[in-house]
């Protein structure tokens, strides 16, 4: 059963084709890895799925509904949650309040309920000292707060854009465990990641983008031996 | 600590209510003016919390003034009701303008709201039959028979209502919505916030407040004219007050209005022309030297001291 | 920023040309006075567009700075008795200095902080107009020179010829600016700064200095423009306000950062206003044309954004 289906999606920025005829299917309760060299269009794909950009052509079917034209806030409420590669925490709110925003608007909770849910989620992710000013957080704490914020919207599908970047090995391991824990709660997850080790360890299935096109799809072992994938990555290292 | 706060509130409110009993006519007039500017400053700040810069305070003020006077004159509506209608008219204009421009926001919004004042000056000047053109209109009698104490209490009620509105905006989910929008619109959208809806709501509510203040002003002085009613003063003074006192908080505008309002009275007497230059200067200096305003700066110091000691 | 005219601008340009052709037959004086007026708008809006493109600041005080330039020329003319055209020369460096001082004291501290800087320039506009009020009072001032009232008659229509100086000046500023930005090292550096300040810094461009020079240069041209303005208009402290408002509106209509669009929209606005003025009894409404235009543009663009 697919939760999210993307058909023939194309998105251009002026002359640049950031996504070209992308097809993708997210199966219920899987963890899909989205990889590709820098500028391949991974973030753009997430942006189109979450409604930040509208596609030039193609369709997005979420949970059986066509959401291609829906505005971003509606998609969030329907159950598409996400984090941002370039994080934008709200400095005017403390950690708990930042997380509360997710449940307040993502699922329309009242203030009290939102606070309770936010506390629960913070605890679930091991995020302590939640009344703190966010300017004094560690990188790991900020990443956890971003995840908590997305989780608070109670998504069916969670899109994570490079959440491990900037973390050391131990911290990344902790986050991997958390992502697994989140999946065990019944969520479907799509992660963008650069470190192959993490992809190998974490994901059920991998999709490779290069210059806006899907060049490979399948199990990590299959994909990592695909000559097109190897050349795409070699091309980047030159 | 908490109790202290309530005691302070009660003392301030009783002092404010009883003010006409121990003050002379002139101080009552000054206080009335300061209270109306306070309401304007605070209403401007409420929208700023959502990252939207309105330079059209005087437009809504003027729309309120004109609607009040015209409905009072032409339909013989009672003064108080005419003031309410003034607020509604301002709200309707904000709704229409907001529907058109609040999808693009940012600089577009600032430019359009600034232009609004000039547009209404042109409209009012040209609809001579209705508005009296460049000369304006007079009301035969001042509201409450010109009783300064009654006018003061009416203005006080409006200022307090604005303060309560501001606090409601600060204490409910609207606060979370507006501050998220100001922080980052894309992140806000992705958290399920309907940006357009919240900004439109804030824009209309603040325009209603500005229209009501304009209506009271018109009833108090019993006349409207394009230059007086749409004077940029009603944009510049509130902005300077809010920026000096500190934006994004209720207390900031209150303190800014109090401080600058008293100063404004002296300035007006000492510098009959060009005194607005001082407010321009206050705005510029506040932005450059004290972007958080008096309240924000003091609060920051307190927090720093607290964290240093703990 | 300079890029060729966008496709949409072409369509608008063509629309304007068609309108102009119709006007040429129907109301020829509208075509002439609209072109003259529109050129003045372009003259003032272009520097605003350049400052926006490079510093990221929308200067709401530009009309007030022009008013300052005009008063400078006025003072020179009344004190020394020189011709206002000569006063253009010292007005240029004088406004350049004003630019440097303004930049150093204020603009420098808010570059790329959108809300604050717009508010700041609003504060500056208020300060400038009110200080002029303190110094020169609100009394309108004029200088009289014989050539200002010169006119020509072609067939049935008579029109002022001096105003063509605005058209010429607009052409000169446009071409000069284009050559500067595309042919000189400093201009290319400025463009690079506008596109990517951090990258420009990396390749060794002095970004701070570029900001200051561009800002000051854009104010400096207001000196001569102010002197030219003085020749044909009465000046008073609030004379700049409508020009500031139209300038930022034109920049917004063109789409922030689209310089060629400023030419199209500036002239278009001038024509539209002249057209409305040509109807007896309706002239007073000409001043709200720009508002109608910007609302339409904003509406259209927010619709576009959804479709895109
Ligand atoms: N808003 C935008 N405007 C113009 N180009 C963009 C925009 N967003 C992304 N791009 C371009 O689209 C391409 C894909 O970018 P992105 O999706 O961020 O890549 P990735 O996340 O895979 O590194 C890049 O060439 C980028 O420059
Ligand atoms: Mg990316």
């Amino acid at each position: 059963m697919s939760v999210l289906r993307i058909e023939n999606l194309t998105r251009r920025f002026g002359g640049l084709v950031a996504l070209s005829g992308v097809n993708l299917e997210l199966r219920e309760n899987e963890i899909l890895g989205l990889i590709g060299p820098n500028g391949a269009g991974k973030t753009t794909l997430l942006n189109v799925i979450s409604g930040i950009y509208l596609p030039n052509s193609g369709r997005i079917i979420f949970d059986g509904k066509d959401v291609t034209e829906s505005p971003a806030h509606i998609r969030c409420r329907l159950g598409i949650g996400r984090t941002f590669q370039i994080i934008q925490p709200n400095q005017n709110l403390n950690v708990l309040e930042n997380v509360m925003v997710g449940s307040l608007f993502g699922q329309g909770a009242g203030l009290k309920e939102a606070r309770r849910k936010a506390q629960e989620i913070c605890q679930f992710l091991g995020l302590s000292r939640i009344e703190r000013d966010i300017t004094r957080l560690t990188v790991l704490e900020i990443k956890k707060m971003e995840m908590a914020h997305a989780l608070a919207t109670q998504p069916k599908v969670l899109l994570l854009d490079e959440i491990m970047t900037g973390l050391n090995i131990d911290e990344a391991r902790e986050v991997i465990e958390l992502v697994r824990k989140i999946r065990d709660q019944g969520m479907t997850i799509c992660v963008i990641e650069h470190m192959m080790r993490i992809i190998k360890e974490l994901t059920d299935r991998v999709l490779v983008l290069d210059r806006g096109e899907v060049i490979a799809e399948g199990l990590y072992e299959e994909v990592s031996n695909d000559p097109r994938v190897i050349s795409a990555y070699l091309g980047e290292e030159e | 600590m908490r109790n202290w706060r309530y005691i302070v509130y009660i003392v301030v409110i009783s002092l404010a209510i009883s003010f006409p009993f121990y003050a002379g006519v002139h101080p009552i007039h000054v206080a009335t003016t300061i209270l109306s500017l306070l309401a304007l400053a605070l209403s401007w700040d409420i929208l700023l919390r959502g990252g939207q810069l309105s330079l059209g305070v005087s437009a809504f003020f003027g729309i309120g003034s004109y609607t009040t006077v015209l409905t009072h004159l032409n339909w013989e509506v009672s003064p108080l009701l005419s003031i309410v209608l003034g607020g509604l008219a301002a709200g309707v204009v904000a709704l229409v303008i907001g529907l058109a421009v609040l999808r693009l926001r940012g600089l577009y919004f600032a430019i359009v709201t600034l232009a609004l004042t000039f547009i209404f000056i042109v409209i009012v000047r040209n609809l001579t039959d209705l508005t009296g053109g460049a000369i304006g209109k007079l009301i035969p009698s001042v509201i409450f028979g010109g009783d300064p104490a009654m006018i003061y209490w009416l203005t006080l009620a409006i200022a307090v209502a604005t303060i309560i509105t501001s606090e409601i905006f600060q204490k409910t989910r609207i606060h979370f919505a507006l501050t998220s929008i100001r922080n980052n619109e894309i992140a806000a959208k992705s958290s399920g916030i309907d940006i357009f809806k919240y900004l439109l709501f804030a824009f209309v509510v603040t325009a209603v407040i500005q229209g009501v203040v304009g209506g009271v002003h018109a009833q108090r002085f019993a006349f409207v004219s394009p230059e007086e009613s749409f004077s940029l003063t009603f944009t510049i003074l509130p902005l300077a007050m809010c920026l000096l006192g500190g934006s994004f908080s209720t207390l900031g505008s209150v303190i800014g209005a109090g401080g600058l309002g008293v100063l404004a009275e002296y300035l007006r007497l000492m510098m009959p022309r060009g005194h607005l230059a001082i407010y321009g200067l206050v705005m510029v200096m506040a932005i450059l030297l004290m972007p958080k305003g008096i309240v924000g700066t003091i609060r920051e110091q307190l927090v720093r001291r607290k964290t240093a000691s703990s | 920023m300079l890029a060729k005219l966008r496709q949409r601008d072409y369509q608008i340009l063509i629309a304007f040309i068609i309108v102009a052709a119709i006007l040429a037959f129907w109301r020829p004086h509208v075509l002439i006075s609209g072109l003259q007026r529109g050129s003045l708008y372009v003259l003032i809006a272009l520097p605003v567009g350049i400052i926006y493109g490079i510093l990221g600041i929308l200067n709401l005080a530009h009309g007030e700075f022009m008013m300052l330039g005009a008063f400078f020329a006025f003072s020179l003319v009344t004190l020394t008795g020189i011709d206002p055209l000569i006063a253009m020369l010292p007005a240029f460096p004088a406004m350049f200095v004003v630019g440097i001082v303004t930049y150093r004291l204020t603009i420098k501290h808010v570059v790329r902080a959108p809300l604050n800087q717009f508010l700041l320039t609003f504060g500056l506009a208020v300060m400038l107009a009110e200080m002029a009020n303190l110094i020169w009072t609100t009394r309108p001032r004029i200088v009289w020179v014989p050539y200002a009232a010169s006119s020509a008659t072609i067939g049935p229509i008579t029109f002022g010829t001096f105003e063509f100086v605005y058209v010429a000046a607009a052409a000169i500023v446009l071409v000069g600016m284009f050559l500067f930005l595309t042919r000189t090292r400093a201009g290319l550096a400025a463009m690079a700064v506008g596109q990517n300040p951090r990258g420009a810094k990396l390749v060794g461009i002095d970004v701070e200095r570029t900001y200051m020079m561009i800002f000051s240069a854009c104010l400096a041209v207001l000196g001569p423009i102010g002197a030219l303005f003085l020749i044909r208009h009465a000046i008073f402290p609030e004379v700049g306000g409508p020009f500031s408002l139209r300038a930022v509106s034109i920049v917004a209509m063109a789409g922030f950062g689209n310089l060629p669009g400023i030419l199209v929209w500036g002239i278009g606005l001038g024509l539209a206003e002249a057209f409305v003025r040509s109807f007896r009894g309706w002239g007073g409404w000409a001043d709200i044309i720009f508002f109608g235009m910007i609302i339409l543009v904003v509406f259209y663009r927010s619709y576009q954004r959804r479709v895109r």
Side-chain angles (χ1 to χ4, degrees):
Chain A
M1 227 311 277
S2 75
V3 202
L4 180 76
R5 199 169 73 242
I6 285 168
E7 294 169 4
N8 215 0
L9 203 71
T10 297
R11 167 72 212 202
R12 285 184 284 271
F13 292 112
L16 181 100
V17 186
L19 295 173
S20 135
V22 172
N23 290 297
L24 158 77
E25 204 163 323
L26 266 182
R27 296 170 200 154
E28 194 146 359
N29 213 7
E30 74 169 340
I31 300 182
L32 176 79
L34 188 56
I35 63 173
N38 262 326
K42 306 182 294 293
T43 299
T44 305
L45 181 57
L46 249 55
N47 281 339
V48 175
I49 296 175
S50 58
I52 304 302
Y53 301 134
L54 293 181
N56 294 94
S57 63
R59 291 208 311 162
I60 305 168
I61 315 285
F62 175 70
D63 217 12
K65 275 191 281 289
D66 187 332
V67 296
T68 315
E69 295 285 325
S70 311
H73 65 271
I74 298 290
R75 294 192 208 190
C76 169
R77 290 176 201 171
L78 286 176
I80 301 180
R82 68 168 295 181
T83 65
F84 287 89
Q85 181 177 358
I86 300 164
I87 47 166
Q88 314 278 2
N90 187 342
Q91 309 231 346
N92 310 299
L93 303 176
N94 68 27
V95 177
L96 184 67
E97 289 168 336
N98 260 287
V99 178
M100 277 170 69
V101 169
S103 37
L104 277 174
F105 301 100
Q107 41 171 298
L111 277 177
K112 266 210 192 102
E113 197 192 346
R115 183 173 291 272
R116 192 180 52 73
K117 283 200 171 142
Q119 277 163 342
E120 254 174 49
I121 291 168
C122 287
Q123 199 170 22
F124 175 72
L125 294 181
L127 196 53
S128 51
R129 294 182 294 180
I130 50 180
E131 300 286 346
R132 269 207 316 179
D133 204 60
I134 61 161
T135 47
R136 296 145 59 85
L137 295 184
T138 64
V139 179
L140 178 65
E141 284 172 319
I142 290 188
K143 300 273 180 172
K144 282 185 177 177
M145 187 181 82
E146 285 283 300
M147 287 209 296
H149 176 259
L151 279 180
T153 65
Q154 226 171 48
K156 295 193 181 80
V157 167
L158 184 61
L159 312 167
L160 302 171
D161 197 349
E162 301 203 15
I163 41 164
M164 323 273 186
T165 310
L167 299 181
N168 66 34
I169 297 288
D170 291 337
E171 292 168 338
R173 186 130 295 142
E174 190 183 337
V175 174
I176 290 176
E177 279 316 309
L178 285 177
V179 174
R180 288 218 181 97
K181 250 170 86 181
I182 294 169
R183 189 257 294 270
D184 292 343
Q185 303 237 313
M187 234 163 279
T188 308
I189 298 171
C190 171
V191 288
I192 295 180
E193 219 18 269
H194 268 301
M195 287 210 284
M196 287 306 175
R197 274 226 311 260
I198 295 177
I199 291 290
K200 183 175 175 186
E201 200 173 322
L202 181 62
T203 61
D204 304 321
R205 211 160 56 91
V206 180
L207 188 104
V208 190
L209 271 180
D210 183 30
R211 281 172 243 173
E213 288 182 51
V214 178
I215 55 169
E217 192 181 349
L219 297 177
Y220 176 82
E221 286 73 22
E222 302 163 14
V223 164
S224 60
N225 290 323
D226 188 315
R228 287 182 68 189
V229 175
I230 293 169
S231 83
Y233 270 92
L234 284 180
E236 191 192 24
E237 269 153 36
E238 273 171 3
Chain B
M1 194 64 204
R2 212 128 252 226
N3 291 335
W4 268 113
R5 186 175 273 192
Y6 285 119
I7 292 172
V8 171
Y9 286 162
I10 292 168
V11 170
V12 169
I13 290 177
S14 6
L15 279 179
I17 293 178
S18 57
F19 188 70
F21 295 124
Y22 52 82
V25 171
H26 181 65
I28 294 177
H29 267 299
V30 174
T32 307
T33 306
I34 291 177
L35 285 173
S36 38
L37 288 171
L38 188 161
L40 293 181
L42 199 49
S43 65
W44 178 72
D45 185 56
I46 289 175
L47 190 57
L48 192 70
R49 293 172 200 164
Q52 302 308 307
L53 185 58
S54 163
L55 297 177
V57 179
S58 42
F60 297 113
F61 181 93
I63 293 166
S65 295
Y66 264 91
T67 310
T68 297
V69 167
L70 294 180
T71 51
H72 181 62
L73 281 180
N74 297 342
W75 300 341
E76 286 160 16
V77 177
S78 77
L80 280 179
L81 184 59
S82 74
I83 290 170
V84 173
L85 291 177
L88 288 181
V92 168
V93 172
L95 182 68
V96 172
I97 298 289
L99 284 172
V101 298
L102 274 175
R103 290 201 187 276
L104 279 186
R105 303 185 279 276
L107 284 175
Y108 287 102
F109 181 76
I111 294 172
V112 166
T113 51
L114 176 64
L116 211 53
T117 303
F118 295 88
I119 296 319
F120 273 96
I121 291 181
V122 174
I123 292 176
V124 163
R125 266 215 205 109
N126 283 287
L127 291 178
T128 316
D129 292 342
L130 179 66
T131 62
I135 303 163
K137 288 260 177 185
L138 279 172
I139 313 180
S141 65
V142 180
I143 187 172
F144 302 134
D147 178 358
M150 289 299 288
I151 299 175
Y152 168 86
W153 282 320
L154 177 62
T155 314
L156 180 65
I158 290 164
V160 170
T162 310
I163 289 174
I164 292 172
T165 308
S166 164
E167 281 302 297
I168 291 175
F169 270 68
Q170 290 289 68
K171 297 271 154 62
T172 57
R173 56 198 293 121
I174 305 174
H175 170 64
F176 289 86
L178 291 184
T179 173
S180 298
I181 295 168
R182 176 169 98 242
N183 178 63
N184 182 315
E185 293 194 357
I186 290 179
K189 273 195 265 193
S190 306
S191 330
I193 297 174
D194 187 342
I195 299 181
F196 183 68
K197 187 182 89 182
Y198 277 99
L199 289 182
L200 192 61
F201 178 67
F203 187 38
V204 171
V205 167
T206 58
V208 168
I209 293 172
Q210 291 154 12
V212 166
V213 174
V216 174
H217 188 88
Q219 285 286 359
R220 178 179 166 203
F221 294 100
F223 104 116
V224 281
S225 78
E227 265 65 34
E228 285 292 319
S229 305
F230 288 98
S231 164
L232 266 189
T233 316
F234 301 116
T235 301
I236 295 164
L237 248 70
L239 263 63
M241 288 169 168
C242 176
L243 291 173
L244 179 70
S247 40
F248 311 142
S249 78
T250 307
L251 192 58
S253 292
V254 172
I255 288 189
L260 261 192
V262 172
L263 177 73
E265 272 314 298
Y266 284 100
L267 273 179
R268 240 188 17 189
L269 298 175
M270 288 167 50
M271 264 172 86
R273 73 192 149 81
H275 63 273
L276 283 182
I278 306 290
Y279 305 108
L281 188 68
V282 168
M283 281 176 65
V284 170
M285 299 287 266
I287 292 169
L288 292 176
L289 304 176
M290 207 169 49
K292 301 205 157 125
I294 294 171
V295 169
T297 309
I298 291 177
R299 212 170 260 168
E300 206 173 56
Q301 292 297 327
L302 287 181
V303 168
R304 196 167 295 163
R305 203 161 298 164
K306 205 190 272 173
T307 46
S309 65
S310 69
Chain C
M1 174 171 45
L2 272 181
K4 312 130 274 174
L5 282 177
R6 296 179 195 164
Q7 194 185 351
R8 196 184 59 239
D9 292 327
Y10 265 123
Q11 293 161 359
I12 292 165
L13 187 63
I14 289 168
F16 278 149
I17 290 173
I18 294 170
V19 171
I22 296 170
L23 283 180
F25 288 100
W26 185 27
R27 285 173 182 246
H29 56 283
V30 166
L31 188 59
I32 290 168
S33 64
L35 188 66
Q36 292 167 336
R37 187 81 180 166
S39 299
L40 197 52
Y41 293 155
V42 172
L43 268 177
I44 296 167
L46 257 183
V48 176
I50 294 178
I51 294 177
Y52 183 84
I54 290 165
L55 280 79
I57 286 184
L58 189 62
N59 182 12
L60 191 50
H62 222 68
E64 277 75 13
F65 280 112
M66 182 203 67
M67 174 273 299
L68 202 62
F71 266 111
F72 176 82
F74 173 79
S75 306
L76 265 188
V77 170
T78 46
L79 288 178
T80 64
I82 57 170
D83 190 287
L85 285 178
I86 311 271
M88 288 171 72
L89 295 176
F92 186 87
M95 287 306 290
F96 192 83
V97 173
V98 169
I100 288 188
V101 172
T102 309
Y103 179 80
R104 279 275 170 84
L105 287 181
T106 62
I107 305 292
K108 182 178 168 177
H109 307 283
V110 294
V111 170
R112 301 201 184 274
L115 272 185
N116 273 358
Q117 35 115 322
F118 198 67
L119 258 181
L120 180 90
T121 60
F122 179 68
L124 282 179
V126 172
M127 265 175 76
L128 287 171
E130 289 293 310
M131 273 166 16
N133 185 355
L134 265 179
I135 302 172
W136 291 291
T137 76
T138 50
R139 189 155 63 87
R141 315 291 176 117
I142 46 169
V143 298
W144 193 84
V145 284
Y147 51 79
S150 62
S151 64
T153 303
I154 301 177
I157 57 161
T158 301
F159 52 90
T161 44
F162 178 79
E163 281 93 336
F164 278 109
V165 77
Y166 300 129
V167 184
I172 290 170
V173 169
L174 193 68
V175 171
M177 177 209 84
F178 182 77
L179 291 180
F180 170 74
L181 286 177
T182 55
R183 297 288 154 81
T184 65
R185 278 184 75 88
L188 289 170
M191 294 271 282
V193 170
Q195 264 147 26
N196 180 357
R198 220 179 281 162
K201 200 171 255 166
L202 283 180
V203 298
I205 297 173
D206 187 342
V207 174
E208 270 290 309
R209 206 182 121 81
T210 306
Y211 283 158
M212 183 173 79
M213 295 311 279
I214 291 293
F215 185 80
S216 309
C218 286
L219 284 207
V221 296
L222 288 177
I225 294 172
L228 284 178
F229 183 80
L230 170 69
I231 295 175
R232 205 64 192 94
H233 302 81
I235 60 167
F236 44 92
E238 305 208 314
V239 77
F243 286 95
S244 291
L245 196 52
R246 281 177 178 75
V248 292
S249 301
I250 289 168
V251 172
M253 285 184 237
F256 293 103
N258 170 15
L259 289 184
I262 291 176
L263 178 67
V264 175
W265 284 99
I267 301 284
L269 178 60
L271 285 176
E273 289 187 358
F275 183 68
V276 174
R277 282 218 171 80
S278 73
F279 291 93
R280 199 172 295 265
W282 290 91
W285 294 102
D287 286 333
I288 66 170
I289 294 292
F290 80 96
F291 187 73
M293 278 165 76
I294 193 169
I295 289 281
L296 284 181
V297 168
V298 166
F299 210 77
Y300 173 75
R301 226 164 263 169
S302 54
Y303 169 75
Q304 279 270 305
R305 177 179 284 191
R306 263 212 55 69
V307 172
R308 227 174 345 133

